[in-house]
Amino acid sequence: MIGLTSLSAADWVAIWLTVKLSLVTTLILLILAMPLAWLLARWQHPAKYLVQAIIMLPLVLPPTVLGFYLLVVFAPDSVAGQLWQMLFGSTLAFTFSGLVFGSVIFSLPFAVQPLYTGFKALAPEYLETAKLLGMPPVTVVWKIILPLLKPFIIVAAGLCFAHTMGEFGVVLMLGGSIPGETQVLSIMLFNHVEGLRYTQAHWLAFIMLMVSLLLLSMLFWVGRFRRAI
């Protein structure tokens, strides 16, 4: 705890901003990935492989490349950028909303893949029985699908949170380093290293390392981690 006192108020703001970004991104990803994984699991078409490749592209694409193209597409003078500003009253680049947008795209594979695996493993007999019993779709989702997918949802949420927390390239390109707005933990760590403030850099790196280790340990502890990837 003594070492943590070397962290400044700006460091703690960056920590809170990172937690906030990870939570918001994870929530959005779970909402988006559930129906997307469901459709992919049941879609039988040659184009499916192309769609899966596009979704998984952030796994192999350098984060700076993705961040650069998002920055270009949503620049204030671009069509998409002007449309975003007209709808929401602000630019997407160099804002917290921009970080969320970029993080959702960059971490999408970590949400879709576990849920896709869960839907593929879902026995159709459960849904057929529910249909024969005349259960409403909402009841089927809450009483059958979600309980059966619980371990896969936990894995997706844990991976999304940990991956978002460690982002650097996308957030740097799309958000920059604005204190209290886009200066997340990874950016602050880079700034400390660049400024030769190794004590602060050590503690920020240690926090990120321990949180990631605890999250992964928890996923292994639930006993379904290998099945859900």
Side-chain angles (χ1 to χ4, degrees):
M1 292 301 295
I2 295 177
L4 289 177
T5 58
S6 61
L7 298 180
S8 65
D11 291 322
W12 290 108
V13 171
I15 292 173
W16 158 243
L17 191 64
T18 303
V19 173
K20 179 183 175 182
L21 174 64
S22 300
L23 288 173
V24 172
T25 300
T26 300
L27 179 61
I28 294 175
L29 278 172
L30 290 179
I31 295 173
L32 293 177
M34 287 286 286
L36 181 57
W38 168 271
L39 292 174
L40 283 174
R42 275 145 183 78
W43 188 28
Q44 300 298 327
H45 191 277
K48 172 182 177 178
Y49 303 107
L50 176 60
V51 174
Q52 286 180 305
I54 293 174
I55 293 173
M56 297 298 163
L57 195 58
L59 292 177
V60 296
L61 193 68
T64 50
V65 174
L66 179 61
F68 170 73
Y69 278 115
L70 288 176
L71 183 62
V72 170
V73 170
F74 288 97
D77 57 346
S78 68
V79 175
Q82 292 175 356
L83 179 62
W84 182 277
Q85 189 164 11
M86 182 179 66
L87 293 175
F88 300 100
S90 64
T91 60
L92 185 66
F94 306 111
T95 63
F96 181 78
S97 299
L99 293 189
V100 173
F101 188 86
S103 298
V104 166
I105 295 178
F106 190 53
S107 294
L108 184 61
F110 294 90
V112 172
Q113 187 57 37
L115 295 174
Y116 174 81
T117 303
F119 281 123
K120 292 292 287 185
L122 187 63
E125 291 80 8
Y126 292 108
L127 302 181
E128 292 172 1
T129 302
K131 185 178 180 179
L132 289 174
L133 293 174
M135 296 177 65
V138 175
T139 304
V140 174
V141 171
W142 283 102
K143 297 295 184 180
I144 298 178
I145 295 179
L146 289 183
L148 290 174
L149 287 182
K150 183 178 179 181
F152 301 94
I153 295 173
I154 292 174
V155 169
L159 291 177
C160 288
F161 187 94
H163 190 248
T164 302
M165 188 185 68
E167 287 180 18
F168 178 74
V170 172
V171 296
L172 179 63
M173 295 295 291
L174 193 58
S177 181
I178 304 174
E181 181 70 22
T182 63
Q183 194 177 67
V184 294
L185 200 53
S186 58
I187 302 298
M188 184 63 80
L189 170 61
F190 176 78
N191 290 341
H192 283 320
V193 173
E194 197 173 38
L196 303 180
R197 297 182 294 272
Y198 293 121
T199 300
Q200 294 91 329
H202 160 73
W203 282 106
L204 293 184
F206 180 74
I207 290 172
M208 296 176 70
L209 174 64
M210 291 308 299
V211 171
S212 298
L213 180 61
L214 288 174
L215 276 173
L216 291 176
S217 299
M218 180 196 71
L219 296 181
F220 277 107
W221 181 74
V222 300
R224 301 295 182 90
F225 184 76
R226 291 186 183 275
R227 283 185 54 194
I229 294 181

